[in-house]
Amino acid sequence: MYGNRRKALLVSAALVGGALLMTACQDTDSGAAHSSSSAASAGKDATSSGSSTTGSNQDGGKDASGSGSSGSGSAGKGSGGQGTAAGAGSGESAKVGKCRTDELKITAVDSTITGDPDGTVAVELKNKGSRSCAMSGYAGVDLKTSAGSLSAKRTGEKPTPIVLKSGQSVAFGISYPVNKSGGSGVRVTGLLVTPPNETKTVALPWPGAATLPVTDGAGSPVKVGPLGSAGQGG
């Protein structure tokens, strides 16, 4: 009886010991798993932190690029500002008003060169105003003749814009055929000049040959060059 009870106690003790041992192992395994889980979490956090840092660097790089672009934009703007300033300078030239007929002293003289087949008249336009003025192109030229008004034909030369300061002048040439027929021809009685882009005309005495040959051909035999031209044919 005593022996059976002792055996039962030993068995119970063995069972309890086994249970405690299993519990200890489970706790150990749980602790290890917990440690592994914590380490993994820590590593994950570290990786996330590292990714965040990398992302921050990338953002920083973008910011740097953005700043660079902004800086470049500023440089471009600055450069644009200089361009604008230069444009403003050009604008100042563009702001010079056109030459008005009333601001110009217009004269005409014979400038025919001996031996030339055609006669030449030089017309001078002088700025008599107090301000600078601009002109470009061809003046309107008409000859008053016994047969009516005769308009000069443009030579086709490319005109150059001209700015005349007060007191400065520019000239252009008028060429015409000389009457060598021996007949009376067409008598020239006057010269009409209209500055470029103006409507007011100035009447001048004709300084060239008194007559033009009679022509049956179409078109005008009288030619006019652009401002700045001189002599025969501009």
Side-chain angles (χ1 to χ4, degrees), residues 32-96:
H34 180 71
S35 298
S36 299
S37 177
S38 298
S41 297
K44 184 177 182 181
D45 290 342
T47 303
S48 299
S49 176
S51 299
S52 177
T53 302
T54 303
S56 175
N57 288 338
Q58 289 176 348
D59 290 342
K62 290 180 180 178
D63 290 343
S65 299
S67 175
S69 298
S70 179
S72 175
S74 298
K77 185 176 181 181
S79 177
Q82 292 177 356
T84 302
S90 301
E92 290 300 321
S93 298
K95 289 179 182 178
V96 175

Side-chain angles (χ1 to χ4, degrees), residues 82-130:
Q82 292 177 356
T84 302
S90 301
E92 290 300 321
S93 298
K95 289 179 182 178
V96 175
K98 71 176 182 178
C99 296
R100 301 288 184 179
T101 301
D102 291 337
E103 297 175 315
L104 299 170
K105 179 181 179 181
I106 304 176
T107 56
V109 297
D110 182 17
S111 61
T112 301
I113 298 175
T114 303
D116 280 356
D118 292 334
T120 303
V121 167
V123 178
E124 182 183 80
L125 296 84
K126 182 177 181 179
N127 181 8
K128 64 180 181 178
S130 59

Side-chain angles (χ1 to χ4, degrees), residues 95-99 103 127 129-134 163-166 168:
K95 289 179 182 178
V96 175
K98 71 176 182 178
C99 296
E103 297 175 315
N127 181 8
S130 59
R131 69 178 183 93
S132 296
C133 64
V163 174
L164 292 180
K165 294 181 179 180
S166 179
Q168 289 186 332

Side-chain angles (χ1 to χ4, degrees), residues 1 46 75 77 136 142 151 155 175:
M1 178 86 172
K77 185 176 181 181
S136 179
D142 295 280
S151 296
T155 60
S175 63

Side-chain angles (χ1 to χ4, degrees), residues 107-196:
T107 56
V109 297
D110 182 17
S111 61
T112 301
I113 298 175
T114 303
D116 280 356
D118 292 334
T120 303
V121 167
V123 178
E124 182 183 80
L125 296 84
K126 182 177 181 179
N127 181 8
K128 64 180 181 178
S130 59
R131 69 178 183 93
S132 296
C133 64
M135 285 191 295
S136 179
Y138 288 78
V141 171
D142 295 280
L143 271 61
K144 295 170 65 177
T145 75
S146 56
S149 180
L150 179 64
S151 296
K153 184 178 180 180
R154 296 178 178 182
T155 60
E157 296 174 72
K158 184 177 180 180
T160 301
I162 297 170
V163 174
L164 292 180
K165 294 181 179 180
S166 179
Q168 289 186 332
S169 61
V170 63
F172 64 87
I174 301 171
S175 63
Y176 61 94
V178 177
N179 182 16
K180 299 177 181 179
S181 65
S184 59
V186 178
R187 186 166 56 90
V188 182
T189 61
L191 172 64
L192 300 176
V193 176
T194 307

